[in-house]
């Protein structure tokens, strides 16, 4: 019981910071999206391509969450200087308090959109609200098509599902991944979820994702 109470207290304290972040962003009319996936699904590559291809239309900043290292933040810095690294030093998710500090270090007034790249983990990041307008879940075809069934919470809570690395579904590559099954499973959990099959590597399918992003930034909501 004791353990449960501590868990609850942590979540309540987190939600206070999440509300603070949400107010900060609303006041400045900035859209913020929280990107969540397993390690290696291609979040960083998706961000780099998105930032570069939309740079004349939308100014994008990134809060980069990692357990260790700033490898991903350095990769993103090639596309934008508006990047702040958070190292969680072992924790498997970002907290709203960490994001609060990071927002103060971003040139927020110069940006239209802020992505939070969460720590690679499909489980607990879905429980920690960060003050974002919406969550984006990324699933790569290399991970298998059972993920919506096995990790329902993040698929139920996300506005968008990006099915990444669809270039791997081409002839000659042995990947057991049924795109239609994933779409059906995700929609069973979340009837409103937008689903974009993409390859951040080749660019295939990315224009639909850019269209959704551009419209959401224009409307300032999802
Ligand atoms: Mg990354
Ligand atoms: Zn965690």
């Amino acid at each position: 019981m004791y353990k449960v109470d501590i868990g609850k207290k942590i979540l309540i304290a987190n939600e206070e910071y999440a509300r603070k972040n949400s107010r900060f962003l609303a006041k400045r009319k900035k859209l913020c999206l929280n990107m969540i996936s397993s390690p290696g699904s291609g979040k960083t590559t998706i961000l780099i391509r998105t930032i570069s291809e939309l740079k004349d239309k939308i100014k994008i900043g990134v809060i980069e969450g990692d357990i260790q290292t700033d490898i991903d933040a350095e990769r993103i810095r090639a596309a934008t200087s508006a990047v702040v690294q958070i190292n969680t030093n072992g924790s498997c998710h970002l907290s709203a308090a960490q994001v609060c500090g990071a927002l103060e270090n971003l040139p927020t007034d110069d940006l239209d959109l802020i992505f939070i790249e969460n720590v690679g983990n499909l489980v607990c990041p879905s429980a920690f609200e960060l003050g974002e307008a919406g969550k984006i879940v990324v699933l790569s075809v290399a991970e298998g098509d059972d993920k919506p069934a096995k990790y329902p919470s993040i698929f139920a809570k996300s506005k968008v599902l990006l099915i990444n690395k669809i270039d791997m579904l081409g002839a000659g590559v042995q990947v057991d991944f049924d795109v239609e099954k994933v779409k059906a499973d995700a929609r069973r959990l979340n009837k409103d979820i937008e689903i974009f099959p993409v390859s951040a590597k080749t660019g295939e399918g990315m224009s639909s994702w850019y269209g959704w992003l551009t419209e959401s930034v224009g409307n300032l909501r999802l």
Side-chain angles (χ1 to χ4, degrees):
M1 287 302 284
Y2 187 58
K3 228 176 160 182
V4 170
D5 286 348
I6 288 179
K8 236 185 215 167
K9 269 187 190 163
I10 290 171
L11 279 175
I12 289 167
N14 187 72
E15 266 154 35
E16 271 173 34
Y17 273 106
R19 278 193 294 274
K20 187 180 170 193
N21 294 345
S22 176
R23 282 195 300 271
F24 176 95
L25 293 158
K27 201 170 148 192
R28 288 162 183 80
K29 297 187 160 53
K30 308 299 176 184
L31 193 69
C32 178
L33 300 171
N34 180 6
M35 194 174 253
I36 296 172
S37 78
S38 302
S41 67
K43 293 187 294 303
T44 309
T45 307
I46 290 170
L47 288 177
I48 292 168
R49 189 155 192 145
T50 301
I51 293 164
S52 305
E53 296 212 5
L54 293 180
K55 70 175 187 298
D56 296 331
K57 280 192 194 166
I58 304 174
K59 299 295 174 207
I60 302 176
V62 179
I63 295 171
E64 182 64 44
D66 276 296
I67 292 178
Q68 292 285 339
T69 82
D70 61 354
I71 293 170
D72 286 357
E74 283 309 311
R75 286 178 62 205
I76 284 173
R77 218 175 292 282
T80 177
S81 58
V83 52
V84 172
Q85 173 78 51
I86 299 171
N87 278 138
T88 62
N89 297 314
S91 176
C92 50
H93 59 268
L94 286 175
S95 72
Q98 290 169 327
V99 168
C100 185
L103 281 171
E104 285 165 12
N105 289 305
L106 268 181
T108 317
D109 292 335
D110 302 335
L111 303 172
D112 305 304
L113 169 63
I114 296 159
F115 274 108
I116 301 167
E117 182 179 339
N118 217 312
V119 176
N121 175 356
L122 271 183
V123 188
C124 55
S126 82
F128 285 81
E129 295 295 326
L130 303 178
E132 74 273 18
K135 295 178 177 57
I136 310 293
V137 58
V138 182
L139 173 63
S140 79
V141 305
E143 295 166 60
D145 55 19
D146 57 356
K147 295 299 174 289
K150 288 176 86 167
Y151 302 95
S153 169
I154 186 56
F155 292 88
K157 287 182 178 176
S158 292
K159 300 281 181 186
V160 170
L161 162 59
L162 292 174
I163 301 175
N164 192 28
K165 308 193 187 180
I166 57 167
D167 54 291
M168 290 177 74
L169 297 172
V173 185
Q174 200 63 45
V175 180
D176 284 326
F177 189 95
D178 183 342
V179 173
E180 294 311 313
K181 172 184 151 57
V182 166
K183 285 184 178 177
D185 285 353
R187 290 202 172 110
R188 206 171 295 123
L189 294 161
N190 179 349
K191 66 176 171 45
D192 298 322
I193 195 165
E194 300 268 2
I195 304 175
F196 304 114
V198 300
S199 167
K201 191 175 163 190
T202 67
E204 189 181 352
M206 292 290 278
S207 60
S208 302
W209 157 242
Y210 300 150
W212 181 88
L213 267 183
T214 307
E215 195 177 315
S216 300
V217 168
N219 296 337
L220 261 170
R221 60 191 177 86
L222 308 177

